[in-house]
Amino acid sequence: MVLLHVKRGDESQFLLQAPGSTELEELTVRVTRVYNARLKVQRVCSEMEELAEHGIFLPPNMQGLTDDQIEELKLRDEWGEKCVPSGGSVFKKDDIGRRNGQAPNEKMKEVLKKTIEEARAIISKKQVEAGVCVTMEMVKDALDQLRGAVMIVYPMGLPPYDPIRMEFENKEDLSGTQAGLNVIEESEAQLWWAAKELRRTKKLSDYVGKNEKTKIIAKIQQVSTFFHTTALLVNCFPTTKKLE
């Protein structure tokens, strides 16, 4: 099995194994799915930390408003009345105004935080140093653990607009966000090794040879990013016309 050390730019991401006979179309999609799924786990963990501290998401029309404004507009958080954490809640105001402030008690908060820690360990970049390959099954397991923890603390579920629930249902809207820029579309993903594009029409062995013990650093990037960079370089170094 060829060992791929996947990076984005110069930043280490994860290790992945594949036979040299693997079609690069298949490998590129596989690497991209693991890469994007790890990002999903990271996003869910970040939101679950906020859930543990400040409770569920407020309805979009109530976010950022003061208590006086909510009262004046006669707005009501119906989901907040339904989605009470197991064992009751502890009020902890969200200064940003995104969450309702009805945080889980210490016992339930610990359930969330422990699971977050375990999920992050599964997809951690430290797995590279430990020589552990990350598979799609491992990432799915991390997501399942996170989903299970949320169900323990919120057995009635989360509001449909809560980003955690939207992530679990693959309905997240990342448009206009930094998180969205990090995601790579499968159809636009490229793998590079030793300054060469690993073209999808070829096999991995066409580049690395028949040695199944080969280890390579494969860089993943989005096609559009590459062409944009190329265009910038062309503009920076325009060709000069030959003088008559």
Side-chain angles (χ1 to χ4, degrees):
M1 299 283 274
V2 177
L3 183 64
L4 284 79
H5 178 182
V6 179
K7 292 187 174 185
R8 187 167 190 187
D10 292 325
E11 190 173 348
S12 182
Q13 299 295 323
F14 56 92
L15 297 179
L16 183 143
Q17 284 185 320
S21 59
T22 305
E23 298 285 346
L24 281 164
E25 173 69 30
E26 174 192 337
L27 182 60
T28 302
V29 170
R30 183 179 157 201
V31 170
T32 307
R33 286 179 180 172
V34 172
Y35 173 81
N36 287 335
R38 287 174 68 255
L39 293 178
K40 177 185 277 287
V41 172
Q42 291 168 7
R43 293 194 302 269
V44 172
C45 286
S46 294
E47 288 294 348
M48 281 179 61
E49 285 179 329
E50 293 300 311
L51 179 69
E53 291 297 327
H54 303 294
I56 63 170
F57 230 53
L58 284 167
N61 64 342
M62 291 176 63
Q63 291 180 23
L65 299 181
T66 64
D67 293 340
D68 290 340
Q69 289 171 324
I70 291 172
E71 186 175 347
E72 183 181 341
L73 294 170
K74 297 180 180 178
L75 300 176
R76 182 182 168 192
D77 182 6
E78 295 183 3
W79 280 95
E81 296 170 10
K82 302 175 189 176
C83 301
V84 179
S86 297
S89 61
V90 178
F91 184 72
K92 190 171 182 183
K93 184 177 177 61
D94 179 10
D95 293 331
I96 302 175
R98 294 168 73 238
R99 297 184 173 274
N100 71 355
Q102 300 299 325
N105 62 31
E106 282 300 319
K107 183 178 179 181
M108 292 296 103
K109 182 188 292 187
E110 188 58 31
V111 169
L112 294 175
K113 290 195 170 184
K114 183 179 178 182
T115 309
I116 291 167
E117 184 179 338
E118 291 171 351
R120 279 181 168 154
I122 290 173
I123 58 132
S124 172
K125 293 171 184 176
K126 291 181 179 179
Q127 296 279 49
V128 173
E129 300 169 15
V132 177
C133 292
V134 176
T135 65
M136 197 64 196
E137 289 70 28
M138 290 168 65
V139 183
K140 285 180 178 177
D141 183 53
L143 284 169
D144 286 342
Q145 289 182 32
L146 294 168
R147 185 184 289 108
V150 171
M151 289 178 67
I152 290 171
V153 181
Y154 289 90
M156 72 300 293
L158 298 174
Y161 46 80
D162 193 292
I164 297 169
R165 175 171 168 177
M166 293 176 75
E167 289 279 5
F168 287 149
E169 296 177 352
N170 294 318
K171 296 178 180 177
E172 67 272 20
D173 181 10
L174 303 178
S175 55
T177 66
Q178 181 59 46
L181 295 175
N182 292 333
V183 174
I184 296 178
E185 294 293 331
E186 289 180 17
S187 60
E188 297 180 359
Q190 282 182 329
L191 293 179
W192 286 73
W193 169 63
K196 297 176 184 175
E197 179 191 350
L198 304 184
R199 296 188 177 275
R200 291 183 180 226
T201 53
K202 294 181 176 290
K203 294 182 178 181
L204 182 57
S205 58
D206 291 333
Y207 292 94
V208 303
K210 303 293 185 180
N211 185 355
E212 290 289 329
K213 294 184 179 180
T214 302
K215 178 179 178 180
I216 69 171
I217 294 177
K219 294 194 176 185
I220 185 171
Q221 64 181 34
Q222 194 147 311
V223 176
S224 55
T225 303
F226 171 75
F227 284 116
H228 177 66
T229 303
T230 303
L232 286 176
L233 289 171
V234 169
N235 290 332
C236 288
F237 302 99
T239 55
T240 55
K241 292 182 179 180
K242 185 177 180 181
L243 295 175
E244 297 293 339

